[in-house]
DNA sequence: TACATACTTATCATATATGATAAGCACTTT
DNA sequence: AAAGTGCTTATCATATATGATAAGTATGTA
């Protein structure tokens, strides 16, 4: 597992943490981002090498900055 | 032009700014990231919807965090 | 003029992120 | 037991990020 892979897992965990903090389901967040629950699950599991465009949608839905999502150290 | 497009342009400008602050060429930075100068140019122009993996390489080469690269507001 | 440096733009192939669907698991509720 | 909720995993098609090459522009300078 590379450092980037670990980073993606951490970002996924950060998204999940922020989502739960807002008391919403993965389905809710996915809907707010206009994608499927299954894809949200993939993202939270760190199984997708996220693009800025995708991060931007998630950040907007969670009302945080992209920097907030990737700030995992 | 969408807000994401504008964001990518801003991130590109941020990368160029940080690179120049270190007094290195786009070629130097590209080499440090293991990609071609032409691709670095594309990135700095905001013409690529960057992935975490690519951002990670650039952040490492510039010795900053990914959050630093995307923190453009 | 000719050459070098720094960068940009265009283009193509290939790898892969995303969109979408279906099926599964664990847990709770009726 | 059966149905519902929340989530995960697998898979496929399609769009696109990246890797790579080639040619162009602008500037300086020998």
């Amino acid at each position: 597992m590379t450092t980037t892979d670990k980073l993606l897992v951490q970002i996924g965990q950060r998204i999940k943490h922020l989502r739960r903090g807002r008391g919403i389901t993965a389905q809710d967040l996915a809907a707010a981002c206009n994608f499927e629950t299954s894809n949200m699950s993939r993202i939270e599991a760190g199984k997708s090498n996220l693009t800025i465009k995708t991060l931007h949608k998630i950040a907007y839905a969670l009302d945080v900055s992209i920097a907030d999502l990737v700030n995992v150290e």
Side-chain angles (χ1 to χ4, degrees), chain A residues 1-10:
Chain A
M1 204 184 209
T2 67
T3 49
T4 303
D5 289 334
K6 284 175 202 144
L7 178 62
L8 288 168
V9 169
Q10 289 177 303

Side-chain angles (χ1 to χ4, degrees), chain A residues 19-57:
Chain A
R19 169 174 68 79
R20 287 185 166 161
R22 278 150 186 73
I24 62 174
T25 65
Q27 201 163 44
D28 293 335
L29 181 55
C33 296
N34 278 304
F35 42 75
E36 300 300 320
T37 312
S38 60
N39 299 325
M40 193 70 240
S41 187
R42 182 168 55 190
I43 288 166
E44 288 188 348
K47 291 173 182 167
S48 187
N49 178 19
L50 299 166
T51 64
I52 288 292
K53 193 169 174 176
T54 300
L55 284 167
H56 193 209
K57 285 185 203 168

